[in-house]
Amino acid sequence: TDETTDGGTTPPDETEETPTEEEPDEITVSLTADPTSVAGSQRITLTGAIEPALEDVVLRVERRLEGEDWSGFPDANNPVTATTRSGGEFSTWVQTGRTGENEWRLVTEIGGEEVVSDTVTVTVN
């Protein structure tokens, strides 16, 4: 028979799920904020990179305040954007007077799929 009793095989139902969980060409976007604690209206620099490295990808900045939904910043119809350079890196900056925990992310669409960066939290005092 093709079966073994030494535990050396994986049941077929477990191996079949693996390819659907991760796509081999998954696009990820890293994001960091500097500084992570600011006074109102102080500049917050958002930097990161898209992997695999893609040039000229436009990412839009979104913010979420405590208990609220994500929305384009500063305005859903006219958000701040960052465009990736040849190595996939990007950098932009934002300013806000809204005190408390401000969560930031960058979003784009590639091949019809939404790509969302890591989330960073900046405390505005």
Side-chain angles (χ1 to χ4, degrees):
T1 67
D2 293 329
E3 294 180 22
T4 60
T5 56
D6 63 2
T9 61
T10 305
D13 61 319
E14 288 183 29
T15 55
E16 289 173 9
E17 291 175 13
T18 306
T20 58
E21 288 175 10
E22 288 186 78
E23 295 181 19
D25 298 319
E26 185 178 354
I27 298 170
T28 59
V29 181
S30 63
L31 180 64
T32 58
D34 183 43
T36 56
S37 181
V38 297
S41 298
Q42 183 179 343
R43 182 181 287 211
I44 303 162
T45 301
L46 302 173
T47 57
I50 191 167
E51 291 289 333
L54 298 169
E55 188 175 7
D56 295 327
V57 174
V58 177
L59 301 144
R60 68 183 180 276
V61 175
E62 291 188 348
R63 175 180 66 178
R64 178 170 66 186
L65 297 168
E66 298 172 64
E68 294 184 9
D69 292 331
W70 288 104
S71 62
F73 178 85
D75 180 279
N77 296 320
N78 192 25
V80 171
T81 61
T83 303
T84 60
R85 298 185 289 277
S86 60
E89 306 91 5
F90 61 85
S91 179
T92 190
W93 59 273
V94 292
Q95 290 175 289
T96 182
R98 295 287 298 266
T99 58
E101 301 287 310
N102 284 257
E103 290 181 285
W104 303 93
R105 70 180 186 182
L106 278 78
V107 181
T108 192
E109 192 174 292
I110 298 175
E113 295 291 320
E114 185 177 62
V115 178
V116 180
S117 75
D118 296 334
T119 299
V120 294
T121 302
V122 177
T123 303
V124 180
N125 300 307

